[in-house]
Amino acid sequence: MATPGQKVVLITGCSSGIGLRMAVMLAKDEQKRYHVIATMRDLKRKDKLVEAAGDAYGKTLSLAVLDVCTDESVKQCINGIKDRHVDVLINNAGIGLVGPIESIPIDEMKKVFETNFFGVIRMIKEVMPDMKRRKGGHIIVVSSVMGLQGVVFNDVYAASKFAMEGFCECLAVQLLKFKNVND
């Protein structure tokens, strides 16, 4: 649980890669400015994160189950946070898909969009009303250069990131009026 003065940072997709590194970096902040809630779909994949976090685990870093692809999981995760208070949401969970378009089943394409696009939207929809009420908070979305320029055989992944870039551009303008001048 966060101590007074700490920012609560929720990060999606922390079982590996960028999410794991961000969670560890913030949890090991020497000034202990953050309490990190590192999330992943399956806590059986927590070992690398726990090992990298060292003694920050259980102090400035806690774990939570979260599948960004289901409304219920998102609600349960956020409801499990004291007062539903998230200062910083880092949308990092994502999946890739590589191959010629004619060889990829539509269901696989839908999974990419479900995670990379709708998963981010689910998370934002769940934390944004509380952030608006408090007139405070930050939403960070980890994207890709492929959200700006397509790459051969990455059509679907790039499309999911292009969609997210467009969504975030629109949302940023809408949220300006809720910006706290102290943030």
Side-chain angles (χ1 to χ4, degrees), residues 65-79 84 114 118-123 125-126:
V65 174
L66 172 62
D67 181 351
V68 299
C69 295
T70 75
D71 295 345
E72 186 57 35
S73 181
V74 169
K75 284 186 186 313
Q76 276 186 329
C77 180
I78 301 303
N79 287 341
R84 296 175 45 91
E114 195 59 52
F118 292 111
V120 172
I121 291 173
R122 272 188 197 90
M123 293 304 301
K125 283 182 59 136
E126 198 62 34

Side-chain angles (χ1 to χ4, degrees), residues 132 166-179:
K132 281 180 168 180
F167 174 82
C168 288
E169 283 181 22
C170 296
L171 188 62
V173 173
Q174 294 173 53
L175 295 178
L176 279 175
K177 72 179 187 174
F178 295 98
K179 183 174 172 38

Side-chain angles (χ1 to χ4, degrees), residues 24 27-28 32 49-61:
V24 169
K28 287 186 170 185
K32 298 189 182 343
L49 174 62
V50 169
E51 181 182 335
D55 24 337
Y57 177 62
K59 295 178 183 143
T60 55
L61 181 124

Side-chain angles (χ1 to χ4, degrees), residues 72-142:
E72 186 57 35
S73 181
V74 169
K75 284 186 186 313
Q76 276 186 329
C77 180
I78 301 303
N79 287 341
I81 299 169
K82 185 179 186 314
D83 300 326
R84 296 175 45 91
H85 186 102
V86 174
D87 294 297
V88 181
L89 168 64
I90 302 177
N91 288 291
N92 170 70
I95 59 173
L97 185 63
V98 178
I101 195 76
E102 66 275 10
S103 72
I104 301 171
I106 291 289
D107 284 345
E108 291 299 310
M109 296 178 193
K110 287 179 179 179
K111 285 180 188 175
V112 171
F113 268 84
E114 195 59 52
T115 301
N116 298 358
F117 182 71
F118 292 111
V120 172
I121 291 173
R122 272 188 197 90
M123 293 304 301
I124 291 172
K125 283 182 59 136
E126 198 62 34
V127 302
M128 194 171 58
D130 296 320
M131 288 181 172
K132 281 180 168 180
R133 269 192 295 284
R134 291 192 321 266
K135 290 194 182 245
H138 297 279
I139 297 170
I140 298 167
V141 178
V142 176

